[in-house]
Amino acid sequence: MFFEIFINDKFYLMKKSCLKSSFGFGIASGVITTLGLMVGLFASTNSRGVVLGGILTIAVADSMADAVGMHFSEESEGIHTEKEIWLTTIYTFLSKLVVTASFLPLLFLLSLKLAMILNIIWGFILLSVFSYSMAKQQKNSPFRAISEHVLIMAFVIVATYYLGTLIDKYIIT
């Protein structure tokens, strides 16, 4: 199955699987990387400015790095057209950027602690909805898919929280 995509005044076709893999990678990486960074920076500095700066930085830098990584991966398979490779690159960048940026509004509107809690819930929702959708399409157990991805997210949150507290205790202070 193909999607029509408008880029540079021309319509290109892209395999649905390329679009789904780009989008899925952007969601998973955006949620887990952003929450890990936010929690680690919060635990080590308790500074809204530092957390915001970290998110804004990875929104651009890590989104571009992941997009280039997907570009290399697609190229190395040797089965995709140049257009498919570039569209995968663009969709990976955009999905990761949008997902990462989706954690910013609460940080501007609420106290840092409340924003952190609600952003963890937001990340849980994003991962759960995508995991459910993916599992249903593949006729797999949604519970297993959600559990697996949320467990990875929880591990990253716990690990970066304790790493942040160690950084605060032994390096910053």
Side-chain angles (χ1 to χ4, degrees):
M1 180 174 213
F2 291 85
F3 282 134
E4 287 186 346
I5 301 168
F6 186 73
I7 295 180
N8 296 331
D9 299 328
K10 294 181 182 177
F11 283 97
Y12 295 121
L13 296 176
M14 182 180 184
K15 290 181 184 174
K16 186 177 179 183
S17 63
C18 292
L19 179 63
K20 283 194 325 190
S21 67
S22 301
F23 187 66
F25 184 86
I27 289 175
S29 181
V31 168
I32 293 171
T33 302
T34 305
L35 285 176
L37 179 79
M38 286 174 56
V39 169
L41 291 175
F42 172 74
S44 63
T45 68
N46 199 26
S47 166
R48 179 188 313 272
V50 170
V51 173
L52 285 169
I55 294 172
L56 290 168
T57 300
I58 67 162
V60 176
D62 200 45
S63 296
M64 186 59 71
D66 284 352
V68 171
M70 286 292 285
H71 185 95
F72 286 166
S73 176
E74 297 287 298
E75 270 183 334
S76 70
E77 289 178 355
I79 59 173
H80 302 285
T81 67
E82 187 174 336
K83 291 174 187 172
E84 288 172 343
I85 292 167
W86 278 105
L87 290 171
T88 297
T89 303
I90 291 165
Y91 273 111
T92 300
F93 174 75
L94 292 175
S95 63
K96 173 88 181 252
L97 181 70
V98 168
V99 169
T100 301
S102 75
F103 290 92
L104 289 168
L106 293 176
L107 290 166
F108 284 108
L109 298 172
L110 304 171
S111 71
L112 182 57
K113 187 175 182 177
L114 181 58
M116 294 297 298
I117 292 166
L118 293 176
N119 273 328
I120 290 170
I121 294 168
W122 172 237
F124 171 81
I125 292 168
L126 285 174
L127 272 187
S128 296
V129 167
F130 184 76
S131 298
Y132 178 85
S133 173
M134 183 178 58
K136 289 301 258 184
Q137 288 175 1
Q138 296 174 354
K139 297 182 180 16
N140 292 329
S141 165
F143 177 77
R144 180 181 164 101
I146 292 168
S147 299
E148 178 181 300
H149 298 144
V150 168
L151 186 63
I152 293 168
M153 182 186 85
F155 175 79
V156 169
I157 290 169
V158 170
T160 57
Y161 175 80
Y162 284 109
L163 179 61
T165 58
L166 289 172
I167 290 169
D168 179 44
K169 184 174 181 178
Y170 295 108
I171 298 174
I172 294 177
T173 55

